[in-house]
């Protein structure tokens, strides 16, 4: 919800795909930017969308993509992480990423991995930090890179393109590091980039 509201404030038209649009509309009618967002069945929400965000629990990914249908030509931002049910570790062994598995389930879509590397509290307010938190993105469709990086920047993060989709094999364990430090050790933080001063 937080990402959608941030994008709505930036002037984007946001359609949330939800199981019951009437319930979701009542629940969120008092939210900021309510005039810029609407709630629809999943298959309808994506019909006119240029960019689709996959934001489900990992175990619901296959079902969600089945409901969505054909995503050919659309940018699909995968914000999921292939975590075990108890969040203790990742389901995969790094020889393939969750994002690559998503791409296999959505042939024809331009799949990117992003918005998976920090918690919802940081997504809601990245400005809480003195430096902009970084958000890496990876994907194979070069013409869509600027679109994805622009969407990252609109939410207040520093967007960095990290390379092709297989780089998600690095970005997803990076998310596991944030989960470990934040949830297991109780540290309130976000990752940021510190660039070396030019000599």
């Amino acid at each position: 919800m937080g990402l959608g509201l941030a994008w709505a404030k930036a002037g984007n038209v946001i359609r949330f795909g939800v199981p019951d649009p009437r319930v979701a509309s009542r629940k969120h009618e008092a939210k900021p930017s309510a005039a810029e967002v609407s709630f629809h069945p999943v298959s309808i929400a994506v019909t006119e969308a240029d960019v689709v965000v996959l934001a489900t629990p990992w175990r619901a990914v296959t079902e969600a993509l089945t409901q969505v249908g054909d995503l050919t030509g659309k940018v699909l931002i995968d914000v999921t992480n292939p975590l075990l049910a108890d969040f203790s570790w990742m389901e995969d062994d790094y020889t393939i990423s969750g994002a690559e598995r998503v791409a296999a389930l959505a042939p024809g879509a331009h799949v990117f991995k992003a918005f998976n590397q920090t918690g919802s509290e940081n997504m809601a307010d990245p400005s809480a930090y003195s430096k902009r938190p970084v958000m890496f993105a990876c994907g194979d469709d070069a013409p869509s890179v600027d679109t994805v990086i622009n969407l990252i920047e609109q939410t207040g993060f520093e967007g960095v393109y990290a390379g092709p989709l297989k780089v998600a094999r690095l970005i997803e364990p990076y998310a596991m590091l944030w989960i470990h430090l934040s949830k297991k050790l109780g540290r309130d933080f976000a990752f940021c980039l510190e660039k070396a001063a030019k000599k």
Side-chain angles (χ1 to χ4, degrees):
M1 187 71 183
L3 290 176
L5 293 178
W7 288 325
K9 288 179 182 178
N12 299 286
V13 176
I14 305 299
R15 298 181 183 90
F16 287 99
V18 295
D20 191 330
R22 290 175 298 178
V23 171
S25 294
R26 289 195 298 269
K27 181 179 179 181
H28 297 290
E29 62 185 355
K31 292 283 188 180
S33 303
E36 291 83 9
V37 304
S38 55
F39 298 88
H40 306 271
V42 174
S43 59
I44 294 175
V46 303
T47 300
E48 297 181 4
D50 298 316
V51 178
V52 176
V53 177
L54 177 63
T56 68
W58 174 247
R59 296 184 184 280
V61 163
T62 300
E63 180 182 354
L65 290 174
T66 299
Q67 291 180 26
V68 166
D70 186 15
L71 294 173
T72 297
K74 297 181 185 294
V75 174
L76 175 60
I77 301 178
D78 171 26
V79 309
T80 69
N81 282 308
L83 301 173
L84 296 174
D86 63 359
F87 281 35
S88 64
W89 203 249
M90 302 186 70
E91 185 177 277
D92 294 312
D93 61 2
Y94 311 130
T95 60
I96 186 170
S97 65
E100 289 168 291
R101 291 163 64 180
V102 166
L105 292 168
H110 305 309
V111 177
F112 281 78
K113 171 67 71 175
F115 296 108
N116 69 307
Q117 302 139 52
T118 192
S120 59
E121 57 270 43
N122 290 341
M123 296 281 194
D125 187 19
S127 67
Y129 296 95
S130 59
K131 293 183 179 180
R132 277 200 305 168
V134 67
M135 183 63 63
F136 296 105
C138 63
D140 294 332
D141 186 57
S144 301
V145 170
D146 287 346
T147 296
V148 175
I149 295 300
N150 184 45
L151 287 170
I152 291 172
E153 300 278 341
Q154 286 179 17
T155 63
F157 288 89
E158 178 180 2
V160 176
Y161 177 62
L165 192 62
K166 68 180 181 181
V167 175
R169 301 174 193 180
L170 304 177
I171 293 178
E172 289 169 359
Y174 181 66
M176 191 71 241
L177 176 61
W178 186 89
I179 291 170
H180 171 71
L181 293 174
S182 177
K183 303 305 181 184
K184 303 293 185 182
L185 301 184
R187 296 179 179 175
D188 183 10
F189 79 104
F191 295 113
C192 69
L193 285 182
E194 182 70 32
K195 299 180 177 67
K198 292 184 178 180
K199 295 181 179 179

